[in-house]
Amino acid sequence: MSRTPWITRRTALAATGAAMMLAVSACGSGSGSEQAADNPLGLQRPGVLHVGTLTDAPPNVFLKDGQFTGFDNDLLKAVAAKQGLTVEFAGTDFSGLLSQVKSGKYDVGSSSVTITEKRKQTVAFTNGYDFGYIGLNVPAGSTLKSFDQLTGKRVVVVQGTVQDDYATGKKLDPVRVPDYNGAMNQLKAGTVDAWVSPAEIGEKLAGESGGKVLLAAKELSPTPMAYAVAQDKTKLKDALDKGLDEVVKDGTWQKLVDQYYPGRKTPADFTPGSGAVKITR
């Protein structure tokens, strides 16, 4: 009996299957192109910014009544709205935030991130949206009054922050903790002599400590704070920069400054955004 008919049928079936696979592949390619068109900023979900932030750093970023808020996060929501985007926040530790943005876990990192050359090796930054001060927090009754008294003292910092870099640069061999509550707990327990803090956050938490912690000194940080994005998300960076200029121009930036930092003066040489628009007061 001849085997030719079976071979012929098998060949025909194989050819049909191959044709179907090519058709599916062609459809998938078209779908991918359409998805790219619908998601030009390369977000996890079109139209939505998935943002990594902190929960314990008022007035910059914190949780209130179960909602992520603070100057940085409220500003980002306003910036996103200018680009027709909504925002979804998720809490994380600062020490892992930039690597999580780099890996794509988050579209944006929002946590008063000071721009540094070292951090530029991991992520890209938008234009600066705020300036900041480095603070010196101490327990009540401490004799420490200035940063130049920290040599030989036990100093705590939040790991990965610019304050960590500052303390390391001063050869202070700091104690590192994952979050701001951890730093405050060390001060309250008396296990450290000082905390090198973001001054606005340090002052806020000191005011809530019932007199147990004080902000003894502060000095202006030399570089601004910005939102972090992955290095290949240039369209996303451009969109956020454009939105930031728009909220500076329409007065939203100043309104939020007045809300979260009442009475704070903006240094004469600092302009949020690209510098192409003036602050509307």
Side-chain angles (χ1 to χ4, degrees):
M1 182 177 178
S2 172
R3 297 172 57 89
T4 303
W6 165 246
I7 295 173
T8 301
R9 285 195 301 271
R10 184 171 61 181
T11 303
L13 288 169
T16 301
M20 290 176 65
M21 290 178 66
L22 286 172
V24 170
S25 175
C27 289
S29 176
S31 176
S33 299
E34 291 173 3
Q35 289 175 356
D38 292 339
N39 189 19
L41 303 183
L43 304 175
Q44 291 186 20
R45 285 191 289 136
V48 180
L49 289 181
H50 191 202
V51 179
T53 188
L54 276 63
T55 62
D56 64 344
N60 301 45
V61 286
F62 61 100
L63 274 175
K64 181 179 181 180
D65 300 326
Q67 300 296 314
F68 288 93
T69 187
F71 175 79
D72 302 48
N73 289 340
D74 286 0
L75 181 67
L76 182 56
K77 286 186 284 188
V79 169
K82 293 292 186 181
Q83 298 299 304
L85 303 170
T86 58
V87 181
E88 290 184 357
F89 293 102
T92 187
D93 289 333
F94 188 87
S95 60
L97 179 59
L98 298 187
S99 62
Q100 290 165 341
V101 171
K102 178 181 180 180
S103 70
K105 181 175 181 179
Y106 301 118
D107 298 313
V108 179
S110 170
S111 184
S112 299
V113 186
T114 302
I115 300 171
T116 68
E117 291 303 316
K118 182 179 179 180
R119 289 173 177 174
K120 287 180 181 179
Q121 298 174 18
T122 303
V123 295
F125 289 100
T126 64
N127 290 327
Y129 64 81
D130 201 13
F131 61 94
Y133 293 85
I134 295 175
L136 176 62
N137 282 71
V138 297
S142 173
T143 59
L144 296 176
K145 303 297 181 184
S146 65
F147 291 93
D148 58 10
Q149 295 178 291
L150 292 179
T151 301
K153 302 299 183 181
R154 188 169 172 82
V155 177
V156 66
V157 296
V158 175
Q159 184 176 358
T161 61
V162 70
Q163 294 80 35
D164 186 350
D165 295 340
Y166 176 92
T168 303
K170 296 291 185 180
K171 303 185 186 306
L172 298 178
D173 191 23
V175 176
R176 295 179 174 87
V177 294
D179 54 41
Y180 298 109
N181 284 332
M184 284 293 291
N185 289 338
Q186 294 264 359
L187 282 176
K188 291 177 182 178
T191 54
V192 296
D193 300 307
W195 168 30
V196 178
S197 67
E200 291 87 351
I201 296 170
E203 186 171 22
K204 176 74 171 177
L205 294 178
E208 297 173 351
S209 71
K212 295 180 180 179
V213 174
L214 305 174
L215 182 71
K218 64 180 182 179
E219 60 183 50
L220 185 65
S221 177
T223 53
M225 303 169 187
Y227 298 112
V229 299
Q231 292 173 334
D232 61 348
K233 298 292 181 64
T234 55
K235 290 184 178 180
L236 174 57
K237 176 190 177 305
D238 291 345
L240 295 177
D241 284 340
K242 182 178 179 182
L244 178 56
D245 274 356
E246 291 176 2
V247 299
V248 172
K249 185 176 181 180
D250 72 8
T252 301
W253 183 87
Q254 186 62 53
K255 179 181 178 181
L256 290 172
V257 168
D258 293 340
Q259 176 184 343
Y260 286 102
Y261 311 116
R264 189 186 75 167
K265 295 182 178 180
T266 301
D269 57 353
F270 174 78
T271 302
S274 67
V277 297
K278 294 183 179 180
I279 299 172
T280 300
R281 302 184 184 278

